[in-house]
Amino acid sequence: MDRQCIDLAMTHLEGVHNPLPVSPYKFYVLIETTGSDESYDKAKLEAFLLRSMEDGLVADGVIAQDISQASNFWRIREGISEASVKVGAVYKYDLSIPVEKLYDIVEEMRSRVGDTAEVLGYGHLGDGNLHLNILSSKYSDNILAQIEPFVYEWTAGHRGSISAEHGLGLMKAEKIHYSKSPEAVQLMASIKKLMDPNSILNPYKVLPQSALSPEQGS
């Protein structure tokens, strides 16, 4: 989560508390572990945090002392989407990007939209899944023109995918070519037609209708 996400959650979510209120940081990472021995696992986690701070990997950190504190941590992370819609309009993108480039698109989008919108990024650091959110008081064709197709072209240019954990769905089916070659799309369409010749299973999602049209299958 970047700092903008934390600020957003603190502003718009009820009952949450900033675990690191003294100094704002550019990024925050939430880590959850599981184990069979609570005291031993806690000691290992504390040692990991201390070593990470000594090595300069992190600037500060806090460990939840009970389930209530852990729930507060997760409430911040899981409430970002809820908090964002309270601003007004939200343009959401679920991208898969190489980890070393994960945040670059956030900074580039900030340069593109300037003061017309707020850009924030959060997601899953381990697998390179970025949730890119652009917030504005209302939807605008001008803002959308700054975002699309740039965000798709940028992602494709960095060998990423325009969809990650939430899939393509309805709105992005026609954008699949930014992530997949024509040959791959046609192969997927052929399998779809074989298994679902009448296109009644989860229709209009994932694959563009042009790939499923009768002339394409002839």
Side-chain angles (χ1 to χ4, degrees):
M1 300 170 281
D2 59 18
R3 177 180 173 183
Q4 287 78 2
C5 289
I6 298 295
D7 292 341
L8 184 75
M10 294 302 107
T11 301
H12 295 286
L13 297 179
E14 296 182 1
V16 296
H17 306 283
N18 191 340
L20 297 168
V22 178
S23 299
Y25 299 101
K26 189 173 182 179
F27 298 108
Y28 297 76
V29 179
L30 177 59
I31 301 173
E32 184 174 78
T33 65
T34 59
S36 57
D37 186 328
E38 182 176 353
S39 60
Y40 177 64
D41 296 330
K42 182 179 179 181
K44 287 198 298 182
L45 192 57
E46 290 174 343
F48 167 76
L49 177 58
L50 179 61
R51 185 170 64 254
S52 298
M53 293 174 66
E54 290 176 343
D55 292 344
L57 180 63
V58 299
D60 199 357
V62 63
I63 298 175
Q65 299 302 306
D66 52 41
I67 189 64
S68 176
Q69 290 186 2
S71 297
N72 176 68
F73 293 174
W74 276 111
R75 172 64 175 144
I76 295 171
R77 169 60 178 82
E78 295 177 340
I80 295 171
S81 181
E82 174 190 338
S84 65
V85 300
K86 295 183 179 181
V87 174
V90 187
Y91 304 85
K92 295 187 176 185
Y93 298 88
D94 179 42
L95 310 172
S96 180
I97 300 172
V99 174
E100 65 273 12
K101 296 288 185 179
L102 188 64
Y103 201 70
D104 290 3
I105 183 64
V106 179
E107 295 176 331
E108 292 210 29
M109 284 307 311
R110 284 180 181 148
S111 297
R112 287 181 66 84
V113 301
D115 296 332
T116 61
E118 180 180 8
V119 183
L120 52 89
Y122 65 102
H124 313 273
L125 186 60
D127 61 8
N129 179 194
L130 175 73
H131 301 307
L132 174 68
N133 286 12
I134 297 96
L135 284 56
S136 182
S137 59
K138 61 181 181 180
Y139 288 104
S140 163
D141 290 340
N142 290 333
I143 294 178
L144 183 59
Q146 292 296 318
I147 302 172
E148 297 184 15
F150 174 79
V151 67
Y152 299 131
E153 294 172 344
W154 189 97
T155 302
H158 290 81
R159 300 178 61 115
S161 172
I162 65 168
S163 70
E165 66 173 330
H166 297 298
L168 277 172
L170 289 168
M171 296 180 65
K172 297 178 183 175
E174 297 294 334
K175 312 294 186 183
I176 192 173
H177 295 289
Y178 285 103
S179 293
K180 300 295 181 183
S181 68
E183 294 78 10
V185 173
Q186 197 53 56
L187 177 60
M188 294 164 69
S190 298
I191 296 173
K192 169 73 170 175
K193 292 173 187 175
L194 180 66
M195 304 299 293
D196 180 25
N198 296 321
S199 293
I200 61 175
L201 302 177
N202 209 17
Y204 313 114
K205 296 181 180 178
V206 180
L207 292 172
Q209 289 305 296
S210 59
L212 297 172
S213 58
E215 58 269 19
Q216 290 290 330
S218 60

